[in-house]
Amino acid sequence: MSAKYVAIITDGNGRWAQQRGLPVLEGHRAGADTVRERLRDSVELEIEELTVYSFSTENWTRPPEEVEGLMAMLGERIDRETPELKEEGVRMRFIGRREGIGPELTERMDWAERETADNERITLFVAFNYGGRAEIMDAARAFHGGDEDDFRRGLYAPEMHDPDLLIRTSGEQRLSNYLLWQCAYSEFVFREELWPDFSRDAFEAALRTYDERRRRFGAR
């Protein structure tokens, strides 16, 4: 049994920077580099979907200079990396609310999705301005009756598979409002590494932990 659908709470960028006496945005840049590296690993490990928590609906309460820096950094990353991702067969999808992000960044996100829409090697879901409760509320507003499959059509990415495995770094052991609907039966692995230190070896160790478990989905 191998995990094909993996979600990660990329926690610890700020602490990583603090430990090194660096500005917090340097931690976020290092964290973005780690996302890129683990995405390449995911392709080699035959993972089909990777979902990363980039910016939550609660992160707006952080200092304005940090929020502004994160928005600028995402725009720069999209511009620089989308052509590479397109060549590497990565499909990009952003999940979350677009309200409040700003038209320029929204246009870049839309562009990245269009550029990579036909790729099939792996899908990278980036949860940006995302909250699990907000997603469920938004889906509920669009729901007019039916079953779970009908409700799922109102989620931000109804085509996303439920994660086999959810990994959280930095030693914290909570969901933090992430993929609340989708992770109903996911296996959780908590790692001590701060996200920028989450290496290929740590990734493979988390996947091996998943392989050692038996998923019952409520059965005996």
Side-chain angles (χ1 to χ4, degrees):
M1 178 178 63
S2 298
K4 295 296 183 185
Y5 316 118
V6 178
I8 306 178
I9 299 176
T10 56
D11 194 19
N13 293 338
R15 276 170 283 171
W16 184 91
Q18 185 180 35
Q19 288 176 2
R20 290 159 177 76
L22 298 171
V24 67
L25 281 175
E26 291 304 313
H28 291 305
R29 289 191 180 93
D33 290 340
T34 301
V35 169
R36 191 74 175 90
E37 292 164 2
R38 301 294 78 77
L39 175 62
R40 290 194 176 104
D41 294 341
S42 296
V43 172
E44 294 178 7
L45 294 165
E46 299 183 343
I47 291 168
E48 297 177 10
E49 294 178 3
L50 180 68
T51 308
V52 295
Y53 209 178
S54 177
F55 187 86
S56 76
T57 51
E58 292 79 22
N59 288 157
W60 292 105
T61 61
R62 292 184 176 183
E65 61 272 16
E66 181 180 351
V67 173
E68 291 170 8
L70 280 167
M71 297 293 166
M73 187 181 73
L74 177 62
E76 293 166 5
R77 290 270 174 173
I78 291 173
D79 289 345
R80 183 171 72 248
E81 295 180 5
T82 296
E84 298 174 1
L85 296 174
K86 183 176 180 179
E87 287 296 316
E88 294 171 16
V90 179
R91 175 176 173 256
M92 284 277 289
R93 283 281 278 114
F94 292 92
I95 60 172
R97 289 177 171 172
R98 299 295 174 97
E99 297 87 352
I101 294 178
E104 185 175 336
L105 182 54
T106 300
E107 288 172 8
R108 286 172 164 170
M109 293 162 69
D110 291 341
W111 169 74
E113 290 184 335
R114 290 194 304 270
E115 284 292 296
T116 63
D118 295 330
N119 288 346
E120 297 180 348
R121 181 170 293 170
I122 188 173
T123 298
L124 174 65
F125 292 101
V126 179
F128 192 82
N129 195 24
Y130 176 87
R133 289 181 175 178
E135 179 176 30
I136 291 170
M137 287 179 62
D138 290 345
R141 292 189 186 100
F143 185 57
H144 299 294
D147 58 16
E148 287 189 9
D149 290 335
D150 295 311
F151 188 87
R152 178 182 285 275
R153 294 188 186 99
L155 299 177
Y156 297 143
E159 77 277 17
M160 178 197 293
H161 291 80
D162 292 343
D164 297 316
L165 170 64
L166 171 72
I167 302 169
R168 180 168 187 152
T169 57
S170 86
E172 304 292 347
Q173 298 186 20
R174 55 181 177 270
L175 271 176
S176 294
N177 199 22
Y178 186 48
L179 301 178
L180 300 181
W181 176 275
Q182 296 89 340
C183 283
Y185 280 101
S186 301
E187 295 292 326
F188 294 175
V189 171
F190 300 105
R191 298 285 304 187
E192 293 297 322
E193 299 92 348
L194 301 176
W195 174 246
D197 293 328
F198 188 71
S199 64
R200 168 73 176 253
D201 287 344
F203 193 16
E204 292 188 358
L207 294 169
R208 284 195 300 272
T209 299
Y210 170 84
D211 287 341
E212 293 166 359
R213 296 181 183 175
R214 177 171 172 259
R215 302 182 77 191
R216 296 181 178 86
F217 298 99
R220 294 194 185 279

